[in-house]
Amino acid sequence: MRTIGRVIALLTGVASTMALAACAEEAEQQHEKGEQLGYVLSRPIATTNAGTGLGVATDAEKLSARLYPGAFLAGPDAQLLPNPDLVTATPLPQDPTVVNYVINEQASYSDEQPVVCDDFLLTQAAGSRSDLFGSDMPLFNQVAGIDCAPGAKQFTVHFNPGFGQRYRELFTPGTVLPSHTVAQAAEVQDVVGAIDSQDEQALQQLGQAWQDTFNVAITDPSTVPTHGPYRVSARGEKGDLELQANTRYAGSKPQESPIYVWPNDADIKSLVEAKQLRVADLGSTANWETDGLKEPDFRVDKDQSGRVDTFGLDTAGMFSDVEMRRAFNGCVDRQAMVQRVSTELNLETKATGLRMLPATHPLAAQLQETSDAQMTMNMERAGQWLGGQTVRVGYLDAVPRYATMVDELAKSCQKAGVTIEPVPLTVESYGQLGTDYDVILTTRPAFGRNSSTNENGTSSVGEVKKVEAELYQDMTSIPLSTEPRVVAVDQYMANVSDNGGDAGLSWNMDRWVQRSTPVEPSTGSDEDAEAPVDAI
C-alpha cells in the first residue's frame, strides 16, 4: 500500500512538474511572442543618407550601417573589415594612386535592381560637390576621378598624386546609395553622363534628390530600396522605423527580423515596461536608471568612444584667415567644458587637442604633450583678432551636452571680448555653415576626415606627430573632447558590441541574437560579434 502510495505520489509529482514545465514553456513562448526587439538611437531619425551634413549631425550611420553597408566596415576594435558582399577593392601594385573595384555579381537592391558603379560614382560626385549635394565627406577631395561605364560591375578610382593610402575610408556605410532611385526623383536619365560632362543643371537636380530621397520627413523610407541585410518596411507614428530582412541581400540572412528602431526622444520607460526595448544607445542621456535600464535586466556600460566633439569652422567666410582660426582656438576652455559636462550630465569625457587620434587610441599616451600644447589657450591673441566680434556657433539641440559646451565657450571667450551667439538647430532646420552660423559643433572620428594628409591612425608615432603639427597650423577644425558613451543591452541579447566610430552598436546589427537564457557579459558581446565574415 505504501509502495502504491509512493508511486502515486511520484507520478503526481512528475505530472505536476511536467505541467509546471509546460506552463512555463508556454508562458515563455507567449512572453517572447509578445515582445519586440526595440533599439533606441541617441539622436533623431532624420535621414538614411549618412553622407549629408544632416546625416553626420544626426548619426545616420547608426541607422544605415546595415541598410547600406560600406566597402569596408570598422569593427569593435577599430579594425577595418572588408565587405565582399558589396565590393572588393584592390590597389594597383605599381601605382598606389589607382584602386580597382569589383562589385559582387549578386549585389542588388531590395527592388531587384543591381548595385552598379553608377552608385559609387554618385557618392564621389556628392563628396566633391558639397555646395550642390549638402554633403560632408571631405576625404573625396583626395580623389581625382572614377572610371565608370554605366551599369558596369567594376570601376577604377584615381587618387590625386601622393594619395591613395586611405582608400579603405571611402564609400563608408550609408553613403553608397541607389543612383537609379535618385535619378528618377531628379528626372535625370543618365547619371554617369551628367557627372562626366559636369552638367551643372543635372548635378543640381541630382544634388537635391540625393538629399530629399533619404530624408524620412520628405520621402517614405519604406519606398526606398536598400542593398544591405535590412530594409525599412514601415515608419511608425512616433518616428520609429521597422526594419525587415532584405530578401535580396547578397550575404547571410540576419539573425533577427524585424528590429524596431526608435529616435532619441522615444519614451524609454514605457518601452521598457512594455518589453519592447532590447538595446539602447543613450548618448547624452544620464537618466537611464529612472527609465528602467537597470541591472540585472540590462547591462549598462559607460565609456568614451573614438569620436571627438569638434568645432568645424567656416574657412570660406569668417574664418578664411588662419590667424582668425588660431585666435578662436585661443579662447576655447576645454577643461571647463569637460568639468561642466561631467558635473551636470554625469557623463565621462576627456579634453583633447588631437585631430588624427582619439584620446582612446593606444598611441594617444605618447602624444599627450602634443595634445596639451594644441589645447593651450591664448586670450591675448583671441582679443587681438576677434575682440568686439560676434561668432555664431551652431549645434544640434537634440544633444544636451552641446548646449552646455557652447555656454562654457561663451563664458571663456567673453573674457577676450568675443561674443558667442548660440544657434540651436533642429533636423527640420539644420541650416548651413557659413550662411546660418560661423562654427558648427559636431561629433566625428578622424576616419574619413583630415583630407590634406595621406596618413591615418595606423601610421607611426613620428608620422602622426608630424601630421598633427600640420593640421594644428592649418586649424580648419578644433577638437574639444572625447564623446561620452552610455549603452544598455538587455540581458537576453547576444553579439551586441560597441563600435568606437560612427556606426556605434549598429555595425553588426544583423548578427544580434535574442537568447532564451541570460547572456553572460563576458560572452554577450563577442560571441559571433565578428563572425561570420561573409555577414560583415
Side-chain angles (χ1 to χ4, degrees), residues 313-459:
L313 309 179
D314 174 23
T315 56
M318 182 176 191
F319 292 103
S320 58
D321 190 327
V322 68
E323 292 299 333
M324 292 284 279
R325 303 197 289 272
R326 294 171 183 168
F328 184 61
N329 182 66
C331 69
V332 177
D333 190 340
R334 295 168 177 82
Q335 294 298 339
M337 292 180 182
V338 166
Q339 183 61 41
R340 180 98 174 265
V341 168
S342 174
T343 301
E344 295 186 4
L345 300 179
N346 189 29
L347 296 171
E348 299 176 8
T349 182
K350 179 181 179 180
T352 182
L354 301 179
R355 290 165 174 80
M356 275 193 70
L357 300 180
T360 56
H361 194 281
L363 296 180
Q366 300 180 51
L367 295 166
Q368 190 59 52
E369 290 186 8
T370 300
S371 179
D372 291 342
Q374 294 181 173
M375 290 192 289
T376 302
M377 297 179 66
N378 189 329
M379 289 295 190
E380 183 178 352
R381 173 184 279 176
Q384 177 183 353
W385 286 90
L386 283 171
Q389 297 194 51
T390 297
V391 180
R392 300 168 300 164
V393 181
Y395 61 92
L396 187 66
D397 65 0
V399 184
R401 73 176 182 279
Y402 283 177
T404 298
M405 296 171 72
V406 173
D407 186 55
E408 279 301 320
L409 176 71
K411 291 179 181 179
S412 60
C413 288
Q414 186 61 51
K415 298 174 183 178
V418 182
T419 299
I420 298 298
E421 179 185 330
V423 184
L425 307 170
T426 65
V427 296
E428 293 80 17
S429 180
Y430 190 69
Q432 186 174 353
L433 179 64
T435 301
D436 303 291
Y437 35 84
D438 311 300
V439 177
I440 183 67
L441 173 55
T442 58
T443 305
R444 55 189 59 186
F447 187 85
R449 305 203 169 266
N450 302 319
S451 61
S452 62
T453 178
N454 204 28
E455 305 295 332
N456 55 28
T458 63
S459 303

Side-chain angles (χ1 to χ4, degrees), residues 77-336:
D77 297 318
Q79 73 274 43
L80 285 177
L81 308 172
N83 180 17
D85 291 331
L86 176 64
V87 70
T88 300
T90 306
L92 202 63
Q94 63 270 30
D95 187 352
T97 67
V98 178
V99 181
N100 293 319
Y101 289 77
V102 178
I103 302 169
N104 188 326
E105 282 294 333
Q106 304 303 314
S108 66
Y109 290 93
S110 50
D111 64 355
E112 302 186 4
Q113 292 298 308
V115 176
V116 291
C117 72
D118 310 42
D119 308 328
F120 291 83
L121 181 64
L122 182 60
T123 304
Q124 184 264 331
S128 303
R129 293 296 303 268
S130 59
D131 57 328
L132 298 181
F133 287 78
S135 63
D136 189 357
M137 298 183 289
L139 200 63
F140 278 102
N141 291 329
Q142 296 185 353
V143 175
I146 294 180
D147 294 336
C148 165
K153 279 283 188 174
Q154 62 275 325
F155 60 96
T156 300
V157 174
H158 297 272
F159 286 86
N160 292 319
F163 293 99
Q165 180 176 312
R166 298 173 63 189
Y167 72 92
R168 297 176 184 85
E169 299 175 49
L170 296 179
F171 307 117
T172 53
T175 64
V176 179
L177 307 167
S179 60
H180 64 283
T181 304
V182 175
Q184 183 178 13
E187 298 183 345
V188 173
Q189 293 185 347
D190 183 1
V191 170
V192 175
I195 295 173
D196 287 348
S197 66
Q198 290 296 293
D199 184 331
E200 199 71 8
Q201 178 61 42
L203 288 175
Q204 288 180 8
Q205 294 169 219
L206 287 170
Q208 193 62 53
W210 192 74
Q211 297 172 72
D212 293 349
T213 300
F214 307 94
N215 187 313
V216 299
I218 297 175
T219 305
D220 181 354
S222 68
T223 65
V224 183
T226 66
H227 60 70
Y230 289 104
R231 63 179 180 83
V232 179
S233 57
R235 187 184 189 201
E237 296 179 355
K238 297 182 179 180
D240 53 302
L241 300 181
E242 178 182 335
L243 307 187
Q244 292 275 2
N246 174 15
T247 57
R248 300 294 301 177
Y249 179 50
S252 299
K253 179 182 178 181
Q255 296 287 338
E256 298 287 347
S257 178
I259 292 180
Y260 297 85
V261 183
W262 293 83
N264 66 313
D265 60 356
D267 187 340
I268 293 178
K269 187 175 183 179
S270 294
L271 290 174
V272 171
E273 291 174 348
K275 300 187 183 301
Q276 294 185 345
L277 179 63
R278 291 298 186 97
V279 181
D281 183 339
L282 300 170
S284 297
T285 303
N287 301 320
W288 59 88
E289 290 187 348
T290 58
D291 287 333
L293 301 175
K294 300 178 181 178
E295 300 280 356
D297 296 330
F298 286 85
R299 301 184 300 273
V300 180
D301 293 318
K302 296 174 62 178
D303 205 349
Q304 299 172 57
S305 83
R307 306 199 310 168
V308 174
D309 290 341
T310 303
F311 283 141
L313 309 179
D314 174 23
T315 56
M318 182 176 191
F319 292 103
S320 58
D321 190 327
V322 68
E323 292 299 333
M324 292 284 279
R325 303 197 289 272
R326 294 171 183 168
F328 184 61
N329 182 66
C331 69
V332 177
D333 190 340
R334 295 168 177 82
Q335 294 298 339

Side-chain angles (χ1 to χ4, degrees), residues 59-75:
D59 279 355
E61 186 170 324
K62 289 182 171 62
L63 170 63
S64 299
R66 306 311 283 157
L67 298 176
Y68 303 104
F72 288 84
L73 188 67

